[in-house]
Amino acid sequence: MRAKTAVVVGAQWGDEGKGKIVDVLSERFSVVARYAGGHNAGHTVIIKGQKFILQLIPCGILRPDCQAVIGNGVVLDPIAFLKEVGKLRDLGVGVDEQVFVSNRAQVILPYHRMIELAAESAPGRQKIGTTSRGIGPAYEDKMARNGLRVVDLLNTNLLKTHIQNACHEKNTVAHALFGTEPLDPVQMYEEYARAAEQVAPFVTDTAALLNGAIRAGKSVMFEGAQGTMLDIDHGTYPFVTSSSATAGGAITGTGVGPTAIGTVIGVTKAYVTRVGEGPFPTECHNEAGEHLRARGHEFGAVTGRPRRCGWLDLPLLRYSNTINGTEWLVVTKLDVLDGLEEIPVCTGYEIDGKKVDTMPADVRGLESIKPVYTKVKGWTEPTENVSEWDNLPRQAQEYLRFLERESGAKIGMVSTGPDREQTMTLPQFAGALRELEA
């Protein structure tokens, strides 16, 4: 019998609208668990015109009966977490009853931000386009077995010793390499010891919590951060994030077994965007790109950075669906394409005049791609607010069916606006969701 669980993953370079989709779907789930990334990932949810920007806490928090879990694969900035908790409390959200933080999650400390900011701005260094929030260095310390976990944060003696030793090392390295001014370990310890007291009530063994929920027959959704093409293993390396952004990350990032995953839902925009540096085969450097950015309000939820925009890339989507084992697709921002006479869609790649069937592993190969476009007829009638498939313009339906045929996954939902209500669920997907609830 298939488990009542689903992984929701970004199918592109992040910013696909996962926050809204997780919020819409969370009505049907008892638990939503975040499994990767840190407070560099912003999920925007709009409910009846009110905007919520969540960075660490899963979008399920906006449903009163839903538990929101921060898994062990997340890197937690305690100060950022407490700020987010405070904002949600002010809005009347029940964070104290609903939020659970893994005792095995790694902690971001100020020296992680110091190192990342200095490295990213150092002359001669390859710029990745990070948010400089300490995510990468925190994962580096984790893999070097030199990190601080949440369970250690709560041990004041261990915390004090760790900060003293880490500051001695990081201050020396940062000053030698980048000329950075040293951080004060005493001040840091005092600040984070106070923060630890406030974080403590949220901390538990979330792997035990999640496995217990699954055994009890509860429905659990695993919420990804960023997107497949930013995955540390499968993305456009080195222009990637520092964690496992694909569906596989849900296993290692929460402590559930692979047989506990029922289905994978990929979220894709009706076009493509990217933030930061790195290859982007279908990027538009002309008026079309500006049109997509303006119509789609393409600016980062956390950083405010303008997103690079381009046409839908089907080879990329096929690759993403393969890597994730995607069964269902959710297509967002269809309404951004309203009014276009024709819509170019990348259906294949060429490198040096030769057709390419696989995604190149190296940046040079990715940068050499010449997209092969098919022009699809656009539509003049608006799709914004449309909530029934039969009410979509015929050409919009054909665009979506073309995407479905070419991508290898079934379309389950379509988003036609930013609000929770501006979403349509196709009948077959609705039936699959009922099975998850049953």
Side-chain angles (χ1 to χ4, degrees):
M1 181 178 173
R2 181 183 278 200
K4 298 184 206 174
T5 60
V7 182
V8 178
V9 66
Q12 300 165 330
W13 278 286
D15 307 312
E16 300 94 347
K18 294 183 299 300
K20 172 190 167 172
I21 301 308
V22 170
D23 171 66
V24 170
L25 291 172
S26 62
E27 183 180 18
R28 302 171 182 267
F29 288 84
S30 302
V31 186
V32 178
R34 167 89 177 271
Y35 63 82
H39 64 306
N40 58 334
H43 286 173
T44 302
V45 178
I46 299 176
I47 304 171
K48 296 180 179 177
Q50 185 174 11
K51 182 185 285 190
F52 299 84
I53 296 179
L54 302 168
Q55 294 176 250
L56 278 164
I57 298 174
C59 298
I61 189 64
L62 301 177
R63 301 282 185 180
D65 298 325
C66 189
Q67 292 180 318
V69 172
I70 296 175
N72 58 274
V74 175
V75 284
L76 184 94
D77 182 322
I79 307 302
F81 170 73
L82 291 171
K83 283 182 181 175
E84 194 167 331
V85 164
K87 287 180 181 177
L88 289 169
R89 277 190 188 129
D90 291 344
L91 292 168
V93 177
V95 283
D96 297 287
E97 299 79 28
Q98 292 176 250
V99 175
F100 301 87
V101 176
S102 171
N103 51 10
R104 291 178 170 87
Q106 295 280 322
V107 176
I108 298 175
L109 288 157
Y111 51 75
H112 292 128
R113 293 192 295 276
M114 172 184 72
I115 293 286
E116 186 168 37
L117 186 62
E120 185 74 356
S121 57
R125 299 270 296 212
Q126 185 180 49
K127 286 183 168 47
I128 303 297
T130 73
T131 56
S132 297
R133 302 199 172 199
I135 310 298
Y139 278 114
E140 287 177 32
D141 276 358
K142 174 181 179 176
M143 291 306 179
R145 295 162 293 180
N146 194 33
L148 184 83
R149 299 183 303 168
V150 169
V151 67
D152 307 319
L153 177 73
L154 306 185
N155 183 326
T156 52
N157 291 332
L158 195 156
L159 176 64
K160 190 170 191 176
T161 302
H162 182 92
I163 286 177
Q164 286 174 340
N165 293 339
C167 279
H168 176 71
E169 175 192 329
K170 309 293 185 184
N171 282 339
T172 302
V173 170
H175 183 72
L177 291 179
F178 312 118
T180 305
E181 290 300 312
L183 296 171
D184 181 356
V186 175
Q187 182 181 344
M188 190 185 304
Y189 166 73
E190 291 174 353
E191 181 181 10
Y192 281 79
R194 288 193 300 270
E197 292 179 4
Q198 298 174 64
V199 171
F202 298 97
V203 177
T204 190
D205 184 337
T206 54
L209 184 156
L210 291 168
N211 281 290
I214 293 168
R215 282 194 301 271
K218 293 182 178 180
S219 52
V220 178
M221 177 164 45
F222 300 94
E223 177 187 50
Q226 287 93 27
T228 298
M229 301 310 296
L230 291 177
D231 182 86
I232 186 67
D233 289 299
H234 302 289
T236 50
Y237 191 91
F239 300 98
V240 292
T241 192
S242 301
S243 60
S244 297
T246 49
I251 306 304
T252 56
T254 62
V256 302
T259 54
I261 302 302
T263 189
V264 178
I265 302 166
V267 184
T268 176
K269 279 179 181 163
Y271 50 101
V272 186
T273 63
R274 174 165 199 169
V275 170
E277 305 297 322
F280 183 171
T282 63
E283 183 174 8
C284 297
H285 298 280
N286 53 18
E287 290 180 6
E290 291 296 333
H291 173 82
L292 292 172
R293 186 178 299 112
R295 281 293 306 271
H297 306 289
E298 295 296 353
F299 299 90
V302 173
T303 63
R305 289 186 293 180
R307 296 175 185 142
R308 300 156 63 190
C309 297
W311 300 116
L312 186 65
D313 186 332
L314 287 171
L316 182 151
L317 191 54
R318 286 193 289 268
Y319 172 78
S320 171
N321 290 347
T322 299
I323 294 299
N324 291 302
T326 304
E327 182 178 11
W328 297 98
L329 276 177
V330 177
V331 181
T332 62
K333 294 202 169 183
L334 180 68
D335 53 297
V336 173
L337 302 181
D338 290 356
L340 297 174
E341 289 186 14
E342 58 180 18
I343 304 165
V345 178
C346 174
T347 53
Y349 291 158
E350 285 184 3
I351 297 180
D352 298 327
K354 296 179 181 178
K355 288 185 178 180
V356 178
D357 294 326
T358 57
M359 181 71 66
D362 62 316
V363 168
R364 187 174 299 174
L366 287 159
E367 290 175 340
S368 301
I369 285 172
K370 179 183 177 184
V372 178
Y373 287 104
T374 296
K375 299 283 182 70
V376 179
K377 188 172 174 57
W379 53 90
T380 54
E381 307 97 313
T383 63
E384 188 172 7
N385 294 320
V386 175
S387 58
E388 297 292 335
W389 175 266
D390 291 341
N391 293 334
L392 282 174
R394 184 176 60 84
Q395 295 296 343
Q397 293 179 9
E398 291 186 8
Y399 180 83
L400 292 167
R401 289 305 183 203
F402 176 68
L403 186 163
E404 184 177 60
R405 287 193 305 272
E406 292 287 328
S407 72
K410 299 170 285 188
I411 292 180
M413 296 178 75
V414 181
S415 172
T416 56
D419 199 274
R420 181 187 273 177
E421 308 301 323
Q422 295 170 307
T423 314
M424 70 177 73
T425 303
L426 276 64
Q428 192 180 1
F429 188 53
L433 292 174
R434 281 193 293 272
E435 288 183 18
L436 290 174
E437 289 181 283

